[in-house]
């Protein structure tokens, strides 16, 4: 049994509620066939009704639970009376049923009778200890049991807490953790089997303490959310928006349960106001439409967000709340913001120091309790609650000794970890590849995945640096081009860095290069403020030269004498998309939102994107098929600025090819891209530009113009949409004056792209669209 391989190729989820169905959807996203079971409703003729309802709920969920709706076909609905025997085919069985111990124990008794002897068994419980659930089960069953606590929504929240019991086989823990990380794309935190595990234990404590400090300082919920949101490196939903999203009843029950089983000094006591919201008002957040916030409509039908007055329990329209200490630090680096807010004066500073010191003290107290590694606590808060830094990382930012001094000044007894760190004279929790154990002893620190900033601590790894981009040696003969501007907008630095890298590969004998980074997004596209400024100043020669350079650099990803691999994730828009689609290979994060969106600002793709999509769709035609469907497909994709909602959809749209790689875990894409460069390098043959691309010429332009006329007359397109569309059609047709049998070169299509881009940029309609986008972040329909 000890050496038994635990390969998960089929799964079963029991419980088709919100969480169970969403977990089944994430398994399907990963390509794992799933059996979804629930109880039989006595008065419903469809015995699988609840499971089918769960699948439909997941299909309609917002944000979407499925990366591709077609993946729902991987889920087979069933029920626990007729289909329990189907569990014998599952390699992993997960329950997500009601949070009652007796119900879970009864279920496990039934499951043990049918599950195969190599199946891993798990509970998604967020509060019931795992060891209690399996009391009375066989030793064999207990060895294969491990807790698997997902966070909602499972597709988007990175954290998966894996909770072994004292009986869990280490091989099971290892195999399941690898499955969660590599197949499901999760960040794995191994938690101890204690109430609340890691993230909820510390995260809910923080929410409860924030409520208490809010009552003490007299701040309002929207002021607190300004203080505890992105400015502090936390999620946009901050504290009370998070509470509404999670459900005030969930926080109520978790806090009360923890208050019963934790020491008095931990204090999970809810405020009287919070109790009234749940017990009297039944205002539970988003699920009831009212919580700390309430959505409503004004007389024009526009959505407004009302904020709860905690004194009157009435909702008020407070508009956009601005907190001076927050406004004062906006735009500064995270470390500077955190230090300024922690040391701020007034009630805002008083509130933040109270909340942050509570969090520091409690995280240190929980070290060794909820988890045996400090980095697991940090990662749990980052991956489960959307923090940029965990509590120990934040203490490093502020200075550990300064935090300890503040805690002592408040009269707190230091937890053993902080006392040990104080006695050791240590300045940071993480330094020189080391951290400390919960008892304060130094130990080697191993990052959970490849981290680019860690690599760059060795200055010799940065072989070329510009303000907005770097060329980094990944080792083994592979270079990385890393963009690090705001939103990774593409400008001179980003283009020059790619050119630098190509030159270095050839001069220094590297194998090839990767284009990627570990910022918030791969690239949101071109530097629009610069483009608009140059257009308004009529710097046409400079713009023409810049677009030529842009085309040369994007297409160099295809026509270099060495392999190139792009590693997009998050937003890969406009130029970010164009760079990706010209690479020899793409390793995309599953959560990649890719598109050629230039028409939204009155332009067309000018970096080879129009040419590339036409070429791809034309090449997919069968011999003898007419060209028009390929032209129409490219026109629709580019002309509607279609953006994929996942990498799976990007493949359907044509941005990813069949041989491109989709990685469920975004943190793995640079390493996988490096591996792909090394696989392509031996015997790599430099491609040459195509000279024989078939085009339709005037016939295609006429067909597109007719379609544009119908769209304009039907109100689906504005007159300026049509004007942009005609320029796009001209490129996709191969230009005017050509007949149906003409053939053109790639360079000819690039020249047409550049001409169309410059023509549109000179028009007032396009300049108005760019200005509106920069001001509002939304497209202008002029």
């Amino acid at each position: 049994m000890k050496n038994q391989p635990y390969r998960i190729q089929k799964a079963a989820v029991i419980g088709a509620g919100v969480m169970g169905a969403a977990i089944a959807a994430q398994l399907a996203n990963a390509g794992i066939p799933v059996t979804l079971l629930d109880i039989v409703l006595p008065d419903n003729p469809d015995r699988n009704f609840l499971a089918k309802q769960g699948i439909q709920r997941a299909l309609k969920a917002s944000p979407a639970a499925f990366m591709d709706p077609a993946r729902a076909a991987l889920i087979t609905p069933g029920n626990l009376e007729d289909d329990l025997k189907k569990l014998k085919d599952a390699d992993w069985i997960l329950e997500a049923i009601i949070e009652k111990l007796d119900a879970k124990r009864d279920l496990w008794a039934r499951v043990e009778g049918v599950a195969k002897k190599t199946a891993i068994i798990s509970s998604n419980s967020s509060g019931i200890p795992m060891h209690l659930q399996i009391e009375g089960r066989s030793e064999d069953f207990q060895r294969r049991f491990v807790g698997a606590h997902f966070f909602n929504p499972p597709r988007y929240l990175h954290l998966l807490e894996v909770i072994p019991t004292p009986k869990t086989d280490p091989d099971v823990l290892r195999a399941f953790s690898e499955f969660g990380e590599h197949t499901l794309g999760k960040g794995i935190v191994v938690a101890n089997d204690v109430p609340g595990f890691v993230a909820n234990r510390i995260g809910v404590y923080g929410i409860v303490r924030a409520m208490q400090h809010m009552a003490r300082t007299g701040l309002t919920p929207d002021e607190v959310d300004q203080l505890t949101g992105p400015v502090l490196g936390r999620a946009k939903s901050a504290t009370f928006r998070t509470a509404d999203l999670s459900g005030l009843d969930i926080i109520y029950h978790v806090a009360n349960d923890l208050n019963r089983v934790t020491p008095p000094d931990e204090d999970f006591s809810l405020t009287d106001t919070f109790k009234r919201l749940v017990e009297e008002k039944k205002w539970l957040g988003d699920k009831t439409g009212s919580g700390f916030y309430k959505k409503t409509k004004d007389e024009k039908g526009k959505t407004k967000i009302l904020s709860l007055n905690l004194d009157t329990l009435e909702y008020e329209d407070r508009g956009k709340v601005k907190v001076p200490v927050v406004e004062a630090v906006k735009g500064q680096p995270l470390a500077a913001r955190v230090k300024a807010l922690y040391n701020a004066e007034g009630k805002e500073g008083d509130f933040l120091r109270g909340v942050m010191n509570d969090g520091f003290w409690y995280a240190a107290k929980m070290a060794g309790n909820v988890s045996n590694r400090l980095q697991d606590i940090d990662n749990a808060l980052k991956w489960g609650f959307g923090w940029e830094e965990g509590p120990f990382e934040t203490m490093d930012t502020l200075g550990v000794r300064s935090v300890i001094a503040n805690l002592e000044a408040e009269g707190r007894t230091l937890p053993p970890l902080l006392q040990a760190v104080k006695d050791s004279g240590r300045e940071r929790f993480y330094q020189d590849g080391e951290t400390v154990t919960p008892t304060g002893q130094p130990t080697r620190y191993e990052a959970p995945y490849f981290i680019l900033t860690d690599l760059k601590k060795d200055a010799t790894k940065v072989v070329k640096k510009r303000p907005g981009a770097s060329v980094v040696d990944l080792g083994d003969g592979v270079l990385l081009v890393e963009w690090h501007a705001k939103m990774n907008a593409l400008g001179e630095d980003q283009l020059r860095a790619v050119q630098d890298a190509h030159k270095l590969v050839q001069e220094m004998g590297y194998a090839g290069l990767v284009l990627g980074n570990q910022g918030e997004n791969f690239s949101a596209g071109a530097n629009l403020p610069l483009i608009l400024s140059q257009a308004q100043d009529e710097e046409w020669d400079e713009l023409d030269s810049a677009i030529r350079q842009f085309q040369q650099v994007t297409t160099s990803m295809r026509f270099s004498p060495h392999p190139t691999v792009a590693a997009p994730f998050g937003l890969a828009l406009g130029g970010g998309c164009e760079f990706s689609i010209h690479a020899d290979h793409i390793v995309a994060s599953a959560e990649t939102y890719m598109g050629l969106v230039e028409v939204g600002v009155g332009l067309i793709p000018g970096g080879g994107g129009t040419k590339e999509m036409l070429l791809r769709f034309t090449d997919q035609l069968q011999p003898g098929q007419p060209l028009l469907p390929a032209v129409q497909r490219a026109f629709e994709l580019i002309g509607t600025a279609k953006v994929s909602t996942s990498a799976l959809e990007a493949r359907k749209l044509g941005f990813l090819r069949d041989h491109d790689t989709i990685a469920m875990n975004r943190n793995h894409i640079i390493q996988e891209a490096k591996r792909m460069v090394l696989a392509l390098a031996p015997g790599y043959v430099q491609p040459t530009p195509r000279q024989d691309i078939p085009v339709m010429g005037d016939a295609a332009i006429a067909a597109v113009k007719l379609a544009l006329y119908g769209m304009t007359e039907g109100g689906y397109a504005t007159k300026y949409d049509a004007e942009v569309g005609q320029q796009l059609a001209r490129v996709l047709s191969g230009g005017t004056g050509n007949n149906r049998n003409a053939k053109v070169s790639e360079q000819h299509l690039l020249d047409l792209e550049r001409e169309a881009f410059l023509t549109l940029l000179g028009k007032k309609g396009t300049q108005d669209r760019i200005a509106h986008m920069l001001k509002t972040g939304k497209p202008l329909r002029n």
Side-chain angles (χ1 to χ4, degrees):
M1 181 68 184
K2 197 70 176 175
N3 296 317
Q4 171 68 45
Y6 296 98
R7 292 188 63 198
I8 298 176
Q9 296 177 301
K10 294 182 180 180
V13 175
I14 303 172
V18 172
M19 200 65 187
I23 294 170
Q26 182 65 4
L27 280 158
N29 289 335
I32 302 294
V34 191
T35 299
L36 180 62
L37 305 181
D38 211 312
I39 62 172
V40 175
L41 292 179
D43 299 325
N44 195 310
D46 186 348
R47 295 174 66 80
N48 298 336
F49 174 78
L50 288 178
K52 291 178 180 177
Q53 183 185 58
I55 297 170
Q56 290 302 311
R57 185 189 306 112
L59 281 166
K60 297 174 183 177
S62 180
F66 288 100
M67 295 177 181
D68 177 357
R71 288 292 170 108
L74 287 171
I75 305 178
T76 302
N79 67 78
L80 285 167
E81 293 183 19
D82 305 325
D83 302 310
L84 193 68
K85 58 184 179 295
K86 291 182 178 179
L87 297 182
K88 66 180 175 60
D89 296 323
D91 303 308
W92 177 43
I93 300 169
L94 172 79
E95 71 80 17
I97 65 171
I98 190 171
E99 286 286 83
K100 290 186 177 180
L101 179 57
D102 289 344
K104 294 182 188 293
R105 283 177 169 171
D106 289 345
L107 175 64
W108 294 138
R110 298 178 66 190
V111 168
E112 185 171 11
V114 294
K116 63 183 180 181
K117 296 301 182 182
T118 57
I120 297 175
I121 316 294
S122 298
S123 170
N124 182 58
S125 174
S126 61
I128 298 176
M130 301 299 163
H131 67 276
L132 295 180
Q133 296 187 39
I134 56 175
E135 286 182 352
R137 303 274 54 80
S138 69
E139 289 292 322
D140 178 66
F141 185 94
Q142 292 186 24
R143 280 197 297 269
R144 291 182 287 114
F145 188 92
V146 60
H149 182 216
F150 289 82
F151 277 65
N152 193 32
R155 173 181 168 184
Y156 300 98
L157 287 186
H158 191 53
L159 178 62
L160 173 57
E161 290 178 323
V162 178
I163 309 106
T165 75
K167 300 290 184 68
T168 302
D169 186 331
D171 286 347
V172 169
L173 176 62
R174 181 168 48 254
F176 182 72
S177 296
E178 289 177 356
F179 171 78
E181 180 179 3
H182 294 278
T183 303
L184 297 183
K186 295 298 167 190
I188 304 299
V189 164
V190 178
N192 294 335
D193 193 12
V194 297
F197 311 129
V198 182
N200 278 343
R201 181 72 171 266
I202 297 175
V204 171
Y205 181 81
I207 292 174
V208 169
R209 297 300 297 170
M211 293 174 188
Q212 295 177 0
H213 286 294
M214 179 176 66
R216 177 178 62 82
T217 56
L219 292 171
T220 64
D222 40 11
E223 288 173 332
V224 168
D225 279 353
Q226 286 289 311
L227 291 164
T228 59
V231 71
L232 200 63
R234 309 275 175 94
K236 187 177 180 181
S237 55
T239 300
F240 294 106
R241 182 73 188 109
T242 295
D244 278 357
L245 288 167
S246 301
L248 304 193
D249 54 332
I250 301 298
I251 293 172
Y252 175 88
H253 290 300
V254 171
N256 285 335
D257 288 345
L258 288 171
N259 220 20
R260 284 194 293 269
V261 298
T262 54
D265 66 337
E266 295 188 19
D267 191 11
F268 280 86
S269 302
L270 294 163
T271 63
D272 290 339
T273 299
F274 189 90
K275 292 177 184 176
R276 285 190 63 193
L277 294 181
V278 176
E279 296 171 356
E280 296 178 22
K281 296 289 189 179
K282 309 298 182 186
W283 293 347
L284 308 181
D286 281 15
K287 66 179 69 176
T288 61
S290 300
F292 286 100
Y293 300 97
K294 181 178 182 178
K295 286 184 181 180
T296 186
K297 301 277 189 182
D298 61 18
E299 61 277 3
K300 295 182 180 179
K302 187 177 180 180
T303 299
K304 294 173 63 176
I305 306 295
L306 305 181
S307 177
L308 183 66
N309 183 313
L310 299 178
D311 295 323
T312 64
L313 293 190
E314 299 287 338
Y315 289 99
E316 301 173 347
D317 183 2
R318 289 170 49 83
K320 188 172 183 179
V321 172
K322 291 189 176 182
V323 179
V325 296
V326 172
E327 296 299 313
V329 299
K330 279 187 174 179
Q332 297 182 20
L334 177 62
R337 300 198 308 266
V338 170
K339 290 176 182 177
L341 292 168
Y342 185 68
N343 294 297
E345 297 181 351
K347 61 181 181 180
E348 293 85 3
D350 187 20
F351 168 84
L352 279 171
R353 276 186 298 279
V355 169
M356 293 173 75
N357 284 341
D358 280 347
F360 298 148
W361 175 85
Y362 195 60
K365 188 174 188 290
M366 288 299 99
N369 183 339
V370 296
S371 179
N372 298 324
R373 303 194 310 169
L374 270 59
Q375 57 264 41
D376 277 344
I377 293 175
D378 277 340
N379 288 334
L381 274 298
K382 290 192 291 186
W383 296 339
F385 283 83
W387 294 14
E388 289 185 50
E389 291 183 337
F392 298 107
E393 292 169 322
T394 305
M395 281 189 267
D396 278 354
T397 296
L398 292 170
V400 174
R401 305 192 71 75
S402 174
V403 170
I404 289 174
N406 281 338
L407 292 174
E408 289 183 315
E410 293 179 355
R412 298 177 189 253
T413 300
L414 295 179
L417 168 61
L418 292 183
Q419 186 63 55
V421 169
K422 177 186 176 183
D423 294 342
S424 72
R426 193 179 181 94
E427 297 290 337
R428 298 175 62 86
F429 286 108
Y430 300 97
Q431 61 185 37
D432 302 325
E434 279 190 350
T435 184
V436 294
T437 67
T439 59
Q441 299 301 309
T443 183
R444 293 299 299 171
Y445 167 70
E446 293 184 6
Y449 54 88
F450 169 78
I451 298 176
L452 192 53
T453 51
D454 287 350
L455 177 71
K456 293 191 297 181
K457 288 175 182 175
D458 179 353
T460 64
K461 295 296 183 181
V462 182
V463 295
K464 186 81 173 182
K465 186 172 179 63
R466 295 176 180 273
S470 301
V471 180
V472 181
D473 187 344
L474 292 178
D476 301 317
V478 179
L479 289 182
L480 169 78
V481 178
E482 178 200 15
W483 297 328
H484 40 73
K486 183 178 181 181
M487 296 292 286
N488 285 326
L490 300 177
E492 185 73 13
D493 279 351
Q494 289 70 40
L495 302 185
R496 292 291 186 192
V498 176
Q499 293 175 317
D500 292 340
H502 283 310
K503 186 177 180 181
L504 286 164
V505 169
Q506 293 306 302
E507 290 179 350
M508 306 300 292
Y510 285 94
L513 66 89
V514 171
L515 181 61
N517 63 80
Q518 290 181 328
E520 186 176 350
N521 293 289
F522 178 72
S523 174
N527 187 336
L528 285 178
L530 177 61
I531 291 174
L532 178 61
S533 173
Q534 288 180 303
Q536 290 173 335
D537 291 343
E538 299 185 352
E539 298 175 356
W540 302 117
D541 289 342
E542 291 85 348
L543 280 164
D544 181 71
S545 176
I547 299 165
R548 286 179 187 273
Q549 181 195 20
F550 185 43
Q551 290 180 338
Q552 290 167 359
V553 180
T554 55
T555 56
S556 73
M557 295 290 289
R558 174 70 46 76
F559 302 118
S560 62
H562 47 260
T564 62
V565 178
F569 61 92
L571 297 180
L573 304 178
C577 178
E578 289 177 298
F579 266 103
S580 298
I581 61 179
H582 280 94
D584 291 304
H585 191 90
I586 296 175
V587 177
S589 164
E591 298 295 346
T592 298
Y593 315 119
M594 184 176 281
L596 296 168
V597 297
E598 287 83 352
V599 297
V601 290
L603 295 168
I604 71 162
T610 308
K611 174 269 301 179
E612 183 65 19
M613 299 319 296
L614 175 66
L615 191 54
R616 286 190 182 191
F617 296 154
T618 300
D619 285 347
Q620 290 172 14
L621 296 174
Q622 297 298 317
Q625 275 189 285
L627 291 175
L628 187 58
V631 175
Q632 290 172 325
R633 185 179 174 191
F635 182 85
E636 181 180 354
L637 180 70
I638 300 169
T640 60
K642 181 69 174 177
V643 176
S644 72
T645 58
S646 70
L648 293 178
E649 189 181 18
R651 177 169 282 159
K652 279 189 168 184
L653 293 174
F655 295 127
L656 299 184
R657 298 151 295 191
D658 290 343
H659 69 265
D660 288 327
T661 303
I662 296 175
M664 288 294 286
N665 196 323
R666 162 177 161 172
N667 296 328
H668 294 171
I669 61 174
I670 289 182
Q671 285 296 86
E672 177 61 21
K674 173 186 170 180
R675 187 194 67 78
M676 186 55 64
V677 167
L678 293 173
L680 292 172
Y684 183 81
V685 177
Q686 180 176 0
T688 56
R690 294 268 296 274
Q691 304 296 327
D692 60 346
I693 303 167
V695 293
M696 289 183 64
D698 293 333
I701 294 176
V704 172
K705 279 186 175 181
L706 182 61
L708 285 170
Y709 176 78
M711 292 172 64
T712 304
E713 290 298 303
Y716 299 106
T718 67
K719 288 186 177 180
Y720 200 70
D721 289 334
E723 194 163 342
V724 175
Q726 288 178 24
Q727 290 292 333
L728 176 59
R730 182 170 176 271
V731 179
L732 293 173
S733 69
T736 57
N738 287 317
N739 60 39
R740 288 178 178 271
N741 300 314
K743 294 184 184 297
V744 300
S745 67
E746 289 192 50
Q747 186 58 53
H748 177 76
L749 292 177
L750 289 171
D751 291 341
L752 290 176
E753 270 191 26
R754 190 178 68 257
E755 291 169 13
F757 192 96
L758 287 168
T759 297
L760 289 169
L761 197 51
K763 295 181 179 293
K764 183 177 183 300
T766 290
Q767 294 182 17
D768 287 345
R769 284 192 176 191
I770 296 175
H772 188 269
M773 178 64 75
L774 292 173
K775 182 178 180 180
T776 69
K778 298 177 181 179
L780 173 67
R781 297 300 306 277
N782 56 343

